[in-house]
């Protein structure tokens, strides 16, 4: 490695521009996140997850005809091969839903009619299938591991992806506000530029590998607690704290032990709160009031106050990120904690597919170099002399 290359080295690629994209813009200084130029704050007010997915994948807001054709295609794709259901029934129940999801998405490629084609048309069709199949797989496995029969997806055109997922978990129609909040959660998690899992998907796609392979790699990256796995850890923390009286003691101890608080800090939003957390805080608050269960929101707020204060005192500010208030929101919606990260994956599927399509459309192999720190020019010693 040359001197210049060594100087350019940034641990964790922090701040490195690693590619070009027209999909998502994060303006950390102004707490603004936009998809294809549209502020997510407007998308959660006026759009739906389906329309947002179209926007991310196609690059523009659909006309009414385009949106209804897209929704129709998503509904028609609400099915998984019976062989996949059989395989799901064989997955050991101790397998985490995220591990199951990674395996099943990979397996699903073997049943996809266009698995080997990376043309824009094939990729668009595969994106539709993956977005539609993800909720079915997650809900079916959840029910199977609780010894319940999977519930067939609704084919009713008025049933949104959000509403249908909540329905497939319990067999009961969620109320309108719950459906709306869940749809907002899906919109907010749908993309976030070159985050770790999306970058992983693009690295795989850049070898000209197929969409299912790229998405499978992305799921593996999302699973980690520094990325999508944080929302489950937030809920586990809330459950351990369990009461407003325990917040200060618990969080102070975590700081003293040098532990990271899940749901706080972000590589890009260094000096401000993640704009998605601001929206989700309101969802969590309002949902708690409507469901007469404000406990988890109140504990979240108390944790947030002390974490922000302690971090400011250390002169290492951190603020809530997208995972923090999504935990209390999902919990009050009655969703099992182990499903939090798979739900993130189900939503991010739209963003991953959009990035894979963009990568394939203007591809260059992604192949960085390493700053070599190891030994050099050693003499090989015969095994008997070591
Ligand atoms: N709790 C306590 N301290 C934290 C923290 C957290 N959640 N996040 C960052 N910090 C501290 C670090 O300890 C570090 O301080 P130090 O220099 O004294 O060690 C400093 O802030 C910078 O953090 P660092 O981990 O180097 O930043 P990063 O950009 O590499 O990491 C995250 C970003 C998201 C991985 C990190 O904030 C984190 O681990 N958060 C918790 C997991 C999480 O919520 N992930 C979801 C992200 S959307």
């Amino acid at each position: 490695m040359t001197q210049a290359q060594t100087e350019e080295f940034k641990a964790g690629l922090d701040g490195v521009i690693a590619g070009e994209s027209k999909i998502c813009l994060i303006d950390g200084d102004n707490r603004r996140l936009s998809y294809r130029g549209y502020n997510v704050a407007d998308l959660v007010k006026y759009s739906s997850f389906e329309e947002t997915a179209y926007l991310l994948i196609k690059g523009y807001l659909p006309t009414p005809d385009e949106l209804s054709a897209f929704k129709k295609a998503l509904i028609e794709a609400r099915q998984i091969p019976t062989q996949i259901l059989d395989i799901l029934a064989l997955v050991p129940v101790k397998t985490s839903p995220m591990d199951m999801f990674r395996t099943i998405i990979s397996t699903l490629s073997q049943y996809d009619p266009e698995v080997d084609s990376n043309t824009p048309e094939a990729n668009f069709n595969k994106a539709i299938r993956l977005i539609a199949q993800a909720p079915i797989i997650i809900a079916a496995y959840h029910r199977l591991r609780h010894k319940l029969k999977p519930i067939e997806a609704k084919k009713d055109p008025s049933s949104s992806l959000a509403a249908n997922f909540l329905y497939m978990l319990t067999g009961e129609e969620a109320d309108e506000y719950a459906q709306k909040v869940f749809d907002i959660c899906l919109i907010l998690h749908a993309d976030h530029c070159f985050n770790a899992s999306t970058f992983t998907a693009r690295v795989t796609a850049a070898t000209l590998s197929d969409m299912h392979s790229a998405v499978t790699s992305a799921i593996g990256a999302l699973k980690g607690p520094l990325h999508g796995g944080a929302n489950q850890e937030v809920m586990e923390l809330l459950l351990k704290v369990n009461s407003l009286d325990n917040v200060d003691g618990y969080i102070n101890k975590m700081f003293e032990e040098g532990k990271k608080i899940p749901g706080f800090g972000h590589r890009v939003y260094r000096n401000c709160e993640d704009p998605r957390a601001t929206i989700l805080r309101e969802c969590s608050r309002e949902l708690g009031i409507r469901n007469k269960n404000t406990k988890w929101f109140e504990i979240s707020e108390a944790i947030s106050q002390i974490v922000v204060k302690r971090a400011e005192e250390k002169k290492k500010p951190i603020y809530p990120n997208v995972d923090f208030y999504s935990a209390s929101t999902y919990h009050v919606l009655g969703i099992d904690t182990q499903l939090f990260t798979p739900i993130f994956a189900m939503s991010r599927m739209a963003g991953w597919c959009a990035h894979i399509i963009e990568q394939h459309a203007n591809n260059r192999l992604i192949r960085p170099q390493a700053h070599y720190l190891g030994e050099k020019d050693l003499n090989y010693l015969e095994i008997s002399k070591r």
Side-chain angles (χ1 to χ4, degrees):
M1 196 179 242
T2 65
Q3 179 65 29
Q5 283 170 327
T6 308
E7 281 164 11
E8 280 166 19
F9 165 65
K10 292 270 176 67
L13 299 182
D14 192 351
V16 170
I17 309 284
E20 292 178 318
S21 177
K22 291 183 178 169
I23 299 173
C24 177
L25 177 68
I26 305 170
D27 179 356
D29 293 338
N30 295 305
R31 295 182 59 202
R32 202 181 154 96
L33 167 66
S34 39
Y35 299 161
R36 301 282 190 181
Y38 296 94
N39 191 334
V40 290
D42 287 335
L43 294 173
V44 299
K45 259 194 233 152
Y46 308 117
S47 186
S48 62
F49 175 67
E50 283 82 347
E51 188 183 59
T52 301
Y54 188 99
L55 172 69
L56 286 167
I57 292 168
K58 285 291 209 180
Y60 59 91
L61 284 173
T63 62
D65 283 353
E66 285 169 330
L67 182 59
S68 53
F70 186 63
K71 282 185 177 173
K72 189 163 173 266
L74 280 171
I75 288 180
E76 278 166 6
R78 275 184 193 171
Q79 53 196 338
I80 52 173
T82 52
Q83 295 94 326
I84 290 287
L85 261 180
D86 294 344
I87 295 168
L88 267 182
L90 293 174
V91 175
V93 290
K94 67 173 182 20
T95 306
S96 79
M98 227 14 212
D99 286 341
M100 170 286 299
F101 192 57
R102 187 197 56 231
T103 303
I104 296 295
I105 290 293
S106 174
T107 312
L108 206 51
S109 72
Q110 293 149 33
Y111 301 91
D112 195 285
E114 292 167 293
V115 65
D116 289 326
S117 174
N118 291 341
T119 64
E121 297 74 29
N123 273 347
F124 183 57
N125 295 337
K126 285 192 277 188
I128 288 172
R129 284 194 283 277
L130 282 164
I131 293 168
Q133 288 166 330
I136 300 177
I137 294 163
I138 295 164
Y141 180 62
H142 172 69
R143 289 187 63 86
L144 283 169
R145 72 198 294 248
H146 288 91
K147 302 200 176 355
L148 298 165
K149 208 168 158 257
I151 292 170
E152 226 176 282
K154 284 197 166 183
K155 296 282 184 152
D156 172 359
S158 68
S159 163
S160 68
L161 187 140
N164 181 51
F165 176 72
L166 295 175
Y167 165 76
M168 286 188 297
L169 289 180
T170 61
E172 277 166 32
E173 202 72 46
D175 68 58
E176 216 175 292
Y177 188 71
Q179 293 180 10
K180 176 68 192 157
V181 163
F182 194 63
D183 193 66
I184 289 174
C185 293
L186 296 182
I187 293 174
L188 291 176
H189 286 82
D191 196 42
H192 209 229
C193 198
F194 275 26
N195 59 89
S197 58
T198 301
F199 188 62
T200 304
R202 290 191 75 129
V203 169
T204 303
T207 68
L208 295 183
S209 186
D210 64 283
M211 186 174 271
H212 284 78
S213 299
V215 166
T216 304
S217 331
I219 297 168
L222 185 75
K223 180 188 160 190
L226 296 189
H227 190 7
N231 57 11
Q232 177 171 334
E233 296 213 333
V234 172
M235 195 61 229
E236 285 160 1
L237 172 68
L238 294 178
L239 291 167
K240 273 185 210 144
V241 171
N242 195 38
S243 150
L244 279 175
D245 297 338
N246 299 334
V247 169
D248 285 9
Y250 206 95
I251 300 300
N252 280 328
K253 188 160 175 277
M254 283 183 84
F255 266 95
E256 271 137 36
E257 289 170 354
K259 289 192 179 143
K260 281 198 168 169
I261 322 291
F264 288 85
H266 201 281
R267 178 63 67 78
V268 185
Y269 305 111
R270 287 269 186 218
N271 299 309
C272 66
E273 180 170 281
D274 181 332
R276 300 167 298 175
T278 313
I279 297 169
L280 286 168
R281 175 190 288 112
E282 270 319 291
C283 292
S284 173
R285 191 184 62 80
E286 178 66 23
L287 189 70
I289 293 169
R290 285 176 185 247
N291 286 26
K292 299 194 176 26
N293 181 4
T294 53
K295 172 179 170 175
W296 305 107
F297 174 71
E298 284 164 16
I299 296 177
S300 302
E301 282 294 76
I303 292 178
S304 172
Q305 277 170 20
I306 183 165
V307 170
V308 171
K309 185 165 159 269
R310 292 274 331 224
E312 274 169 2
E313 282 163 8
K314 272 180 65 188
K315 308 247 175 302
K316 299 249 166 100
I318 46 169
Y319 302 94
N321 59 44
V322 69
D323 295 308
F324 189 61
Y325 291 100
S326 60
S328 49
T329 305
Y330 295 154
H331 187 71
V332 174
L333 283 173
I335 298 173
D336 189 294
T337 307
Q338 288 228 333
L339 296 183
F340 290 9
T341 313
I343 288 171
F344 192 154
M346 164 180 131
S347 154
R348 187 58 58 88
M349 189 66 84
W352 290 333
C353 292
H355 280 270
I356 293 162
I357 290 169
E358 188 180 59
Q359 184 66 41
H360 279 161
N362 186 17
N363 191 56
R364 181 129 202 256
L365 180 74
I366 300 172
R367 204 293 186 198
Q369 293 187 45
H371 181 195
Y372 179 71
L373 299 173
E375 306 277 5
K376 284 182 186 162
D377 303 326
L378 300 180
N379 288 323
Y380 183 81
L381 268 188
E382 266 178 51
I383 196 157
S384 59
K385 295 191 180 141
R386 288 175 221 161

